[in-house]
Amino acid sequence: MKLIKVKEAIQSDNDQLAGQLRGKLKEEKTFLVNLMSSPGAGKTSLLLQTTAQMKHELRMAVIEADIDSSVDAERIVDSGIPAIQLQTGGFCHLDVPMVQQGLGALDSRGLDLIFIENVGNLVCPAEFDTGATIDVMILSVPEGDDKPLKYPLMFSKCDALIVNKIDYLQTSLTDFDLDLLEKRVRKLNKNINIFPLSSRTGEGIELWSEWLSSKVYEHNS
Ligand SMILES: Nc1nc2c(ncn2[C@@H]2O[C@H](COP(=O)(O)OP(=O)(O)OP(=O)(O)O)[C@@H](O)[C@H]2O)c(=O)[nH]1
Ligand SMILES: [Mg+2]
C-alpha cells in the first residue's frame, strides 16, 4: 500500500511558491504584510487606523479574506483605500495561489504596501506561508494573556505582535497582564516586535506605523 502525506506535499509546493512570490515583490518594490488574528481581534480596525496614518506617504491597498461576506473590503474602500475581497468558501486560511489571485485583481505594480487581512483564525493561517514580506499577528486584550501557551506556532512565526484593545487595561473588565504576556511570547520568539495599542482610541498607532514605514522603505529602496 502506498502512503501519500497530502498535507506535507501541499505545504512544500506552497513554500516554494511563497519564496518565488517574495522575490518578485522585492523586485517590484512592493511590501506585503500578512495580518493574522482570531475573529474580532481588530484586524480591519487596525488597517483603517494604519492606512489613515500612512496614506500621505505610501500607495497602499488591502486584500481581504473571509470565508463568506465582503463587509470588511467595503469598510476599507469606503475609507478611500483600494481593496478586494477574497471569499475562501470554507477554507480557514490563505495560500499563495489565493494571494496571487488577489494581487492580480489589484494590479500590485506601483503599490508600495499591500496588506492581507487573513481569515480570522489562530491555527490554520500560521501553517501556511502566504509569500508575504512579513507576518504580523494581533492579540486583543479580551482574548487573555495565555494565548501564547495555546497557539505557540502563530506567536513563533510572526515578525510583529500587536496587542490591541489596550483601552480595556484601564478598566476593571480585564485581568490581562501585559508583562506576563511579553514573557510568554519572548520564550517562543525572542526578537519579535511588540506594539501595544488601541485601534479605538488611536493610542500606540503612531509607533507601530513608524516601525512599519521604516521596514517598507528598507525593503523597497
Ligand atoms: N474597545 C476596543 N474595541 C476595538 C478595538 N479594536 C477593534 N475593536 C472592536 O472590536 C470589534 C471587532 O473589530 P474588527 O476590526 O472588525 O475585527 P476583525 O479582526 O477584523 O474581525 P474579523 O474580520 O471578523 O475576524 C469591533 O466592534 C471593533 O469596533 C480597540 O482597540 N478597542
Ligand atoms: Mg475584519
Side-chain angles (χ1 to χ4, degrees):
M1 189 199 67
K2 195 169 179 187
L3 174 73
I4 302 175
K5 295 196 171 175
V6 181
K7 188 176 173 195
E8 278 172 24
I10 292 171
Q11 275 178 334
S12 123
D13 287 351
N14 189 66
D15 285 351
Q16 204 182 341
L17 290 173
Q20 289 165 6
L21 178 57
R22 253 189 298 281
K24 181 170 167 272
L25 291 168
K26 174 78 183 153
E27 263 172 39
E28 291 176 359
K29 301 183 190 300
T30 302
F31 195 92
L32 183 62
V33 176
N34 176 29
L35 183 60
M36 297 172 284
S37 81
S38 55
K43 296 178 292 301
T44 310
S45 306
L46 178 80
L47 288 176
L48 289 167
Q49 286 273 6
T50 308
T51 51
Q53 184 84 25
M54 299 170 93
K55 70 179 170 199
H56 300 297
E57 49 166 327
L58 296 171
R59 288 161 298 175
M60 292 175 288
V62 176
I63 298 172
E64 287 287 346
D66 269 303
I67 288 173
D68 207 340
S69 109
S70 40
V71 287
D72 284 353
E74 284 162 18
R75 285 169 73 192
I76 300 287
V77 168
D78 286 347
S79 79
I81 300 292
I84 60 122
Q85 181 81 46
L86 299 176
Q87 285 182 0
T88 64
F91 283 113
C92 57
H93 66 272
L94 289 180
D95 60 13
V96 179
M98 296 182 211
V99 170
Q100 275 165 332
Q101 284 188 50
L103 292 171
L106 276 175
D107 189 10
S108 60
R109 282 163 304 177
L111 291 169
D112 305 305
L113 172 59
I114 301 173
F115 295 94
I116 301 166
E117 177 176 337
N118 214 316
V119 182
N121 188 312
L122 285 181
V123 183
C124 316
E127 293 181 3
F128 278 83
D129 195 339
T130 56
T133 319
I134 60 169
D135 291 311
V136 176
M137 73 166 291
I138 304 180
L139 176 74
S140 63
V141 167
E143 291 170 80
D145 51 31
D146 60 350
K147 293 301 164 286
L149 307 175
K150 298 186 177 184
Y151 305 98
L153 181 62
M154 178 62 88
F155 288 85
S156 306
K157 76 168 271 181
C158 283
D159 301 285
L161 163 67
I162 309 272
V163 184
N164 191 33
K165 309 194 187 182
I166 58 164
D167 44 306
Y168 278 103
L169 295 176
Q170 281 127 36
T171 71
S172 57
L173 298 172
T174 179
D175 58 359
F176 191 97
D177 184 335
L178 199 49
D179 292 333
L180 181 57
L181 173 83
E182 180 162 350
K183 268 190 210 129
R184 286 172 169 165
V185 174
R186 295 233 180 265
K187 266 194 197 158
L188 298 165
N189 187 341
K190 198 156 59 81
N191 298 318
I192 193 168
N193 297 277
I194 302 178
F195 299 97
L197 56 82
S198 168
S199 300
R200 169 139 317 161
T201 66
E203 185 184 355
I205 292 287
E206 208 174 318
L207 266 184
W208 144 250
S209 301
E210 280 170 5
W211 176 83
L212 180 59
S213 177
S214 72
K215 289 279 163 200
V216 174
Y217 282 111
E218 204 180 289
H219 176 268
N220 293 359
S221 55

